[in-house]
Amino acid sequence: MSFFQDRFNETPKELLDRKSILVTGGTGSFGKHFIKTILENYTPSRLIIFSRDELKQHEMQVSALFPEDKTHCLRYFIGDVRDRRRLHMAMKGVDYVIHAAAMKQVPASEYNPFECINTNVLGAQNIVEAAIENNVKKVIALSTDKACSPVNLYGASKLASDKVFLAANNLSSPDGTLFSCVRYGNVVGSRGSVVPFFKNLIDNGSEELPITDERMTRFWITLDQGVSFVLTTLEQMQGAEIFVPKIPSMKITDLALAMKPDCKFKIIGIRPGEKLHEVMISSDDSRTTVERDDRYIILSEYPWTDRFPLAKKDGHSVPEGFSYASDTNTEWLGAEELVECIKS
């Protein structure tokens, strides 16, 4: 299957039409693309952009990014996930929450640990409490491959965040809010990622590109696929699962050569808190992991859950000891496909 084919099934319109949806971190790369996708394909009653940056919200409001005839449903809320009262107010009457807000940069998190914890962990608790209090139907939290067997504070904080969201199903009533997580790798072209960093160096005439380690591999996903995966997860989730898409890997050196075939490498060494290869499912998770055609689902280990049969529909358990890592992945991204993505 080509990396650019639609590998995730479409979400039925009735799931999102006439619904109220809130997106934390709505002015980020994912948030903007998610909102654009929703407006182009669905007719929500309200689509709430929740973020703390008034400039980015203003730029979204005056941009031509969204279909002009559908912007009437957009609501711009200035707020921070650290502020539980503001979240509670923003979630009144909301059906679905997509939690994309986070402190994401590894070096910044290492240097500012308290701020990372306040945003990623305590912010997750605030989302959970506000959602339960307002009877939100479903919450999806965006996680990261760095949350699996973390070696840096960002990954550790997102692992803690995942645990908070999964355990939130214990606090919700049987017919109350459902919480699940989505875990995926690097988004091609997202703000702060290596692709725009390399592109900027190339555009400014650099003849060599900095490489941390020639062996390094990463998972890759496009914004389109990330949004599509979240939407199909919103339909499929039963609560307390981590959904992991099947996506390709690529060596960092191959990525650099795809962007500039004649470039030279400058080996700068792995940064503090950085992994050589990324893992999205550890061997310890394999005991409760189910495989489907387009994704893996890590199921809850809580004894009360009776959702295993639902999750295993159209799927099967993975072998014990299985792990999903970027260096042992069976699917790899080719140079031509990457160039196609960068051009688009």
Side-chain angles (χ1 to χ4, degrees), residues 95 131-139 168-169 171-179 237-239 307:
D95 296 295
I132 291 175
E133 289 165 356
N134 282 286
N135 295 312
V136 171
K137 292 182 177 67
K138 293 182 178 182
V139 176
N169 292 276
L171 308 176
S172 186
S173 61
D175 58 348
T177 310
L178 297 177
F179 299 86
M237 62 180 283
Q238 300 294 317
R307 297 167 182 145

Side-chain angles (χ1 to χ4, degrees), residues 70-215:
K70 288 195 171 183
T71 55
H72 63 276
C73 72
L74 294 180
R75 303 289 185 272
Y76 292 88
F77 271 58
I78 298 293
D80 196 317
V81 295
R82 302 180 184 200
D83 186 342
R84 180 175 171 275
R85 290 181 63 186
R86 182 60 171 164
L87 278 170
H88 180 89
M89 183 181 297
M91 285 190 201
K92 287 186 180 296
V94 166
D95 296 295
Y96 304 125
V97 171
I98 308 300
H99 177 45
M103 187 169 172
K104 299 180 175 74
Q105 295 295 317
V106 170
S109 297
E110 295 292 305
Y111 193 74
N112 302 277
F114 298 159
E115 303 308 305
C116 178
I117 296 297
N118 283 337
T119 298
N120 294 353
V121 182
L122 299 182
Q125 179 180 344
N126 291 336
I127 293 282
V128 165
E129 292 178 351
I132 291 175
E133 289 165 356
N134 282 286
N135 295 312
V136 171
K137 292 182 177 67
K138 293 182 178 182
V139 176
I140 290 183
L142 269 59
S143 185
T144 169
D145 48 14
K146 295 172 180 61
C148 184
S149 304
V151 297
N152 53 55
L153 183 63
Y154 168 55
S157 70
K158 291 300 286 184
L159 174 60
S161 171
D162 291 354
K163 296 293 187 182
V164 167
F165 281 108
L166 300 182
N169 292 276
N170 302 339
L171 308 176
S172 186
S173 61
D175 58 348
T177 310
L178 297 177
F179 299 86
S180 291
C181 299
V182 163
R183 178 185 291 171
Y184 54 68
N186 297 269
V187 178
V188 179
S190 65
R191 188 179 61 203
S193 70
V194 69
V195 170
F197 174 64
F198 280 175
K199 187 176 185 301
N200 183 60
L201 291 176
I202 293 167
D203 290 346
N204 284 283
S206 177
E207 294 299 321
E208 62 178 17
L209 296 177
I211 301 292
T212 52
D213 192 295
E214 290 180 294
R215 299 165 294 171

Side-chain angles (χ1 to χ4, degrees), residues 11-17 19 96 138 231 234-236:
T11 308
K13 289 184 68 66
E14 58 267 21
L15 185 72
L16 297 173
D17 285 349
K19 296 298 192 300
Y96 304 125
K138 293 182 178 182
L231 289 174
L234 188 64
E235 178 194 6
Q236 297 177 20

Side-chain angles (χ1 to χ4, degrees), residues 26-42:
T27 56
S29 299
F30 174 89
K32 286 191 291 188
H33 204 76
F34 180 87
I35 291 158
K36 182 174 184 289
T37 301
I38 295 297
L39 292 178
E40 289 175 346
N41 297 281
Y42 306 95

